[in-house]
Amino acid sequence: MIRTLILFALSLVLAAAAAPLPSHAATKAGVDAQFRQWLEADLWPEAKRSGVSRSVFERAFSGVDLDWDLPDLAPPGFPKPKSRAQSQAEFKSPGAYFSEKSLQGLAASGRSLMQQHAGVIGRIEQRYGVPASIIVAIWGRESGFGRAKIPHSAVRVLATKAFMSTRPELFRREILAALRILERGDIPASAMKSSWAGAMGQPQFLPSSYLEHAVDFDGDGKRDIWNSTADSLASIANYLAQKGWVRGRDWGFEAVIPEGVTCALEGPDRARPIKALTDMGIIRISGRPFPDHERGAPGMVLVPAGTFGPEFVVTPNFYVIKEYNNSDLYALFIGNLADRIAHGGGAFVTPWANTGAMLRSDIARLQSSLERQGYDVGGADGLPGYKTRRSIGEWQAKNGETPTCFPTPAALKALR
């Protein structure tokens, strides 16, 4: 019996010794070695098939190592990163996005630069049909008019993320696109600078966007969005034009939705002629009529804070701006900044109310509750887009409440 126990214990020891080491035993040096192997055995064959020469590939990765300081990494052999709990993320009033100090500073710089580059900006506006003020506003927002420091090597960032980020397939496409840019000779790898997320140059294009939309406007044979103001501005304009910018139309107007007209009209899929909106009683907040050329064209109600903030009638061009950055608040920021640059405008007239903060998990529960009742909220992701906002308004109206079209603790409590 004792001999049997000894043999059993010995077998356990041998089994433990033979078992693979736990994943947390991986080292950075080991992962770096895997990275070099991945470059040669995995990335290079695909780069070659896409037309990248061996010499360009080797120059691109000469001396390049992994950037361990980037966010959202999942190194092989290391413990998986903890998922970000929605309960730790807060959704606050949209007003926090619109820093008056920042907007005033950007507008002043934008007006000065509009004058300084009037000739080239005028030619860009004429060619692409996008207002100069919109182009300059995006330029200012994305890179401080080209003054912001863009410190990272795009090749290093994209290769790191393609090898060991939480979204490797996205960045694999982008590093291959970056290599095709290098093959074209527009920029050497040493000068291909990006943000920590891989967005490059003054317009902050990912490489795939660069390949589709970057323009050589100064005529030097290179599409240089890092150093050329003309190329950078024309590339922004070309991007918006290709995404469907409607020449001659504005981006939108701050408006007043009268009592008795629901805020649940919101959404690009509920577009109607602006004249039809005015017939319902919706007016510009300035009191001036909508421009004649806009009245017969489609417009959409937008209430990013429901009835707790400014209300808008926007045009399809608003959603083109969202193609640059898929955020209502980003597009509003660009529109407001462009108005300040072009017309000396100021802040929105209606203030943003302090609606408090809700946890994203609470908003997701609110969305799930609405979904169970048949409403299309666009997904229970804790992010209240226009489908969520109007669903809240429709539910409120159906249940005898005054629609506010915005997630609040009171709305969550009522929906439980």
Side-chain angles (χ1 to χ4, degrees):
M1 181 67 176
I2 294 176
R3 182 174 180 274
T4 301
L5 290 173
I6 292 173
L7 290 174
F8 178 70
L10 181 60
S11 68
L12 291 178
V13 171
L14 292 173
L21 292 174
S23 60
H24 64 262
T27 64
K28 287 186 176 181
V31 173
D32 286 334
Q34 291 182 56
F35 171 64
R36 302 309 306 184
Q37 184 179 11
W38 172 81
L39 286 176
E40 186 62 30
D42 191 343
L43 190 64
W44 160 241
E46 189 168 359
K48 181 180 180 181
R49 288 193 296 272
S50 67
V52 177
S53 65
R54 182 68 190 183
S55 59
V56 165
F57 188 87
E58 289 182 352
R59 284 197 300 271
F61 291 107
S62 177
V64 171
D65 59 359
L66 291 171
D67 187 343
W68 289 86
D69 294 327
L70 297 176
D72 301 323
L73 298 182
F78 279 69
K80 291 184 178 181
K82 295 180 179 178
S83 59
R84 295 177 179 175
Q86 285 190 341
S87 60
Q88 300 304 311
E90 288 186 328
F91 177 79
K92 299 180 181 180
S93 167
Y97 193 87
F98 298 88
S99 164
E100 187 61 20
K101 181 179 179 180
S102 174
L103 280 160
Q104 287 179 0
L106 288 170
S109 295
R111 285 191 292 270
S112 175
L113 289 165
M114 282 266 288
Q115 294 176 351
Q116 180 181 338
H117 300 288
V120 69
I121 292 176
R123 293 194 300 274
I124 291 169
E125 184 177 39
Q126 184 176 22
R127 178 177 297 184
Y128 296 103
V130 181
S133 57
I134 292 287
I135 300 167
V136 172
I138 290 176
W139 186 34
R141 176 68 179 178
E142 293 299 325
S143 65
F145 310 105
R147 299 167 181 166
K149 185 179 181 182
I150 303 174
H152 295 279
S153 159
V155 171
R156 187 184 188 210
V157 165
L158 295 168
T160 297
K161 287 183 168 285
F163 176 67
M164 62 175 192
S165 80
T166 54
R167 295 184 296 167
E169 289 308 313
L170 165 65
F171 291 102
R172 184 184 183 91
R173 290 193 297 272
E174 296 302 334
I175 186 58
L176 289 166
L179 290 168
R180 291 198 294 275
I181 294 168
L182 296 175
E183 184 69 35
R184 289 173 57 97
D186 282 319
I187 192 83
S190 60
M192 184 186 273
K193 298 297 184 179
S194 77
S195 70
W196 61 263
M200 306 186 307
Q202 297 181 38
Q204 287 290 275
F205 281 176
L206 285 171
S208 58
S209 289
Y210 175 99
L211 289 174
E212 292 182 29
H213 307 297
V215 171
D216 170 25
F217 201 78
D218 60 16
D220 68 352
K222 299 181 185 297
R223 300 183 294 173
D224 186 358
I225 62 171
W226 294 267
N227 306 297
S228 169
T229 295
D231 290 1
S232 297
L233 295 176
S235 297
I236 293 169
N238 186 47
Y239 182 99
L240 296 174
Q242 291 191 14
K243 293 296 184 180
W245 187 273
V246 182
R247 186 185 289 259
R249 293 206 67 188
D250 209 317
W251 68 268
F253 310 88
E254 189 178 355
V256 177
I257 301 175
E259 290 187 22
V261 177
T262 178
C263 50
L265 290 170
E266 185 175 16
D269 54 341
R270 296 185 177 179
R272 61 193 73 193
I274 289 180
K275 182 181 183 302
L277 296 175
T278 61
D279 289 345
M280 298 170 65
I282 298 174
I283 61 171
R284 290 179 69 179
I285 201 160
S286 64
R288 302 195 307 266
F290 290 96
D292 288 342
H293 71 278
E294 295 280 7
R295 287 176 55 78
M300 290 75 82
V301 170
L302 177 78
V303 286
T307 59
F308 301 109
E311 302 162 334
F312 303 89
V313 170
V314 298
T315 77
N317 287 338
F318 176 85
Y319 294 96
V320 174
I321 298 172
K322 282 187 66 176
E323 292 285 338
Y324 212 99
N325 183 323
N326 188 22
S327 161
D328 288 338
L329 301 186
Y330 175 89
L332 282 175
F333 188 101
I334 295 301
N336 181 251
L337 177 55
D339 287 349
R340 291 174 188 241
I341 292 171
H343 313 299
F348 299 127
V349 175
T350 301
W352 302 91
N354 183 1
T355 56
M358 288 185 70
L359 298 177
R360 279 189 59 183
S361 54
D362 287 336
I363 296 175
R365 283 198 294 274
L366 183 151
Q367 292 168 321
S368 295
S369 180
L370 286 167
E371 282 183 331
R372 288 193 295 272
Q373 298 181 53
Y375 292 93
D376 177 11
V377 299
D381 57 3
L383 299 174
Y386 73 87
K387 288 186 177 181
T388 294
R389 295 193 296 261
R390 74 187 184 193
S391 293
I392 292 171
E394 290 170 346
W395 182 90
Q396 289 169 323
K398 182 179 178 181
N399 288 272
E401 299 183 16
T402 301
T404 64
C405 300
F406 198 71
T408 62
L412 175 61
K413 183 178 180 180
L415 274 160
R416 281 177 177 170

